[in-house]
Amino acid sequence: MTTTCSTVLDQPLLRPAELGDLRLPNRVVMAPMTRARATGEGLVPNGMHTDYYGQRAGAGLIVTEGTWVSERAIGFPNVPGVYSGEQISGWRRVTDVVHALGGRIVLQLWHTGAASHPDHLGGALPAGPSAVDPRERTHTPGGPKATVTPREMTITDIRDTVAEYGAAAVNARRAGFDGVEVHALGSFLIPQFLNPRLNLRRDAYGGDPAGRRRLLMEIVDTVAAAWDGRRVGVRLSPYWTAERFTADERTLADYDALVAELGDHPVAYLHLRGPAPAAPGAAPDHDAFARYRRLFDGPLIANHGFDRETGNAVIGAGLADAVSYATHFVANPDLVARFALDRELAAGDPGTYYTGGAGGYVDYPASRWGDGVRR
């Protein structure tokens, strides 16, 4: 007697997709996750990074952890950069393995701005759009600390930062990546410029919503120049809430205009973090994604709180072209196979998410025959 495994290969999540010039074999995207394993000198990706991303090469697209565009961008311990030759070589080993295993991978570009701390910057003040403390908690080598009042970036600072993003994109291509994603999420540099509570400038980079979004648009255009075709994604979080960040109607209206304008720039996809689900286990809010789907003509990746069922639903409803998963990919390196074979998902250990060595990073096993098959 032959035993066969139940498959559900007609899922929307398992269909091929095109995000700009990125061709995906499925629509299950690995979301960027800071895992803080670059513990050696120079914040260089190491062998564990190669194993970690190689194990997850079955994703339709891997978006790496946020990666520093320069030493001035640093704001979290043990996160790799992409501004040195050693870092480029380290990332090259990662991309070679992912590609050998049939995967696709883009590098996320990150700058923390005023959410950094002097402890990361050799004692220097972090820089932001204005001299306004974002009132965040920042992780430093000495533990969590409160942010400080930053210095206001000069026009020269801004131009240098845009150039650093451009150089990082060139380095990402040298390292073998298939594209890059601009980190414009949370409470970091780009969202600080978008935020009228933190950006009090009266020059071309402030004053009104169009001025506040100018930095992002310049970064997108500069980064895109390093690539042939559309290979630059942008990750946004209009629903982000913190002391200086609110998801009120003014904020959402500003993001409406921003998302509409992104359609006029060489963007491969919009990666949208939605609001937190209303309760644990609740389905993500489709209306939140529909709002921006109407404004952006390009491909959209939905993120935040999705499982297999809700991921299939948001794609089936035409509200997203792909869905990204973070914590599900931590403990399930073979997440796509588990979705395809209808297998239970393993749970990760939050105590190892942001610190440690191999444990909780590269030691989660792939599922085996008979493991958690739902009948």
Side-chain angles (χ1 to χ4, degrees):
M1 182 177 67
T2 301
T3 302
T4 60
C5 183
S6 172
T7 62
V8 279
L9 296 178
D10 58 344
Q11 299 175 64
L13 280 168
L14 301 182
R15 298 170 187 163
E18 294 185 3
L19 306 184
D21 288 293
L22 299 167
R23 308 291 187 264
L24 279 56
N26 62 70
R27 299 168 188 246
V28 182
V29 174
M30 179 175 162
M33 294 177 281
T34 297
R35 302 302 309 276
R37 259 58 176 200
T39 55
E41 290 294 324
L43 301 180
V44 176
N46 55 49
M48 285 195 298
H49 292 85
T50 304
D51 285 358
Y52 175 71
Y53 288 112
Q55 289 169 355
R56 291 155 178 82
L61 178 68
I62 293 172
V63 185
T64 72
E65 61 212 281
T67 304
W68 308 128
V69 299
S70 71
E71 290 181 302
R72 298 189 299 177
I74 296 171
F76 200 98
N78 302 327
V79 170
V82 69
Y83 51 84
S84 74
E86 292 81 5
Q87 291 165 347
I88 294 168
S89 296
W91 282 120
R92 185 82 210 198
R93 289 187 286 273
V94 171
T95 62
D96 283 349
V97 167
V98 170
H99 290 149
L101 295 172
R104 293 144 183 82
I105 183 168
V106 298
L107 185 75
Q108 193 185 63
L109 305 178
W110 190 16
H111 193 307
T112 51
S116 186
H117 190 276
D119 287 3
H120 290 295
L121 304 171
L125 281 177
S130 301
V132 180
D133 186 348
R135 297 179 185 170
E136 296 283 326
R137 297 290 288 178
T138 181
H139 294 275
T140 76
K145 294 185 179 181
T147 54
V148 300
T149 299
R151 65 177 182 85
E152 181 174 304
M153 295 175 73
T154 66
I155 293 294
T156 298
D157 289 332
I158 292 172
R159 291 173 179 165
D160 288 347
T161 298
V162 173
E164 287 168 353
Y165 272 90
V170 171
N171 289 343
R173 186 165 183 175
R174 289 173 58 199
F177 284 96
D178 298 298
V180 294
E181 180 177 285
V182 176
H183 185 308
L185 172 142
S187 55
F188 302 109
L189 179 68
I190 294 172
Q192 290 161 18
F193 268 83
L194 298 173
N195 187 335
R197 300 168 189 84
L198 295 174
N199 184 347
L200 307 182
R201 305 177 73 94
R202 291 293 178 263
D203 60 13
Y205 295 92
D208 59 21
R212 290 193 293 271
R213 61 180 180 263
R214 179 175 175 177
L215 175 66
L216 173 57
M217 300 306 169
E218 289 187 358
I219 287 172
V220 168
D221 290 345
T222 300
V223 166
W227 302 92
D228 300 321
R230 290 181 179 258
R231 293 181 174 271
V232 175
V234 177
R235 192 169 192 216
L236 297 176
S237 57
Y239 300 97
W240 190 270
T241 58
E243 182 168 349
R244 298 280 196 180
F245 292 82
T246 62
D248 56 19
E249 278 307 312
R250 177 188 180 185
T251 297
L252 296 181
D254 286 351
Y255 273 90
D256 288 348
L258 186 159
V259 168
E261 186 176 340
L262 278 175
D264 298 328
H265 294 260
V267 174
Y269 64 82
L270 172 64
H271 190 176
L272 188 65
R273 185 185 190 273
D285 181 1
H286 277 199
D287 290 343
F289 296 97
R291 175 172 187 150
Y292 295 103
R293 181 67 154 181
R294 290 189 291 267
L295 296 166
F296 183 70
D297 292 335
L300 188 149
I301 302 174
N303 170 261
H304 203 187
F306 287 93
D307 57 16
R308 190 188 71 161
E309 180 180 358
T310 55
N312 280 314
V314 75
I315 295 173
L319 300 178
D321 298 280
V323 178
S324 71
Y325 298 86
T327 55
H328 285 329
F329 260 114
V330 169
N332 301 276
D334 59 336
L335 184 64
V336 177
R338 291 185 190 236
F339 282 173
L341 299 173
D342 196 20
R343 292 184 176 175
E344 297 286 352
L345 301 185
D349 175 10
T352 62
Y353 282 177
Y354 305 109
T355 186
Y361 189 58
V362 294
D363 61 345
Y364 288 108
S367 63
R368 299 173 298 175
W369 174 257
D371 284 354
V373 178
R374 290 188 281 261
R375 301 295 185 187

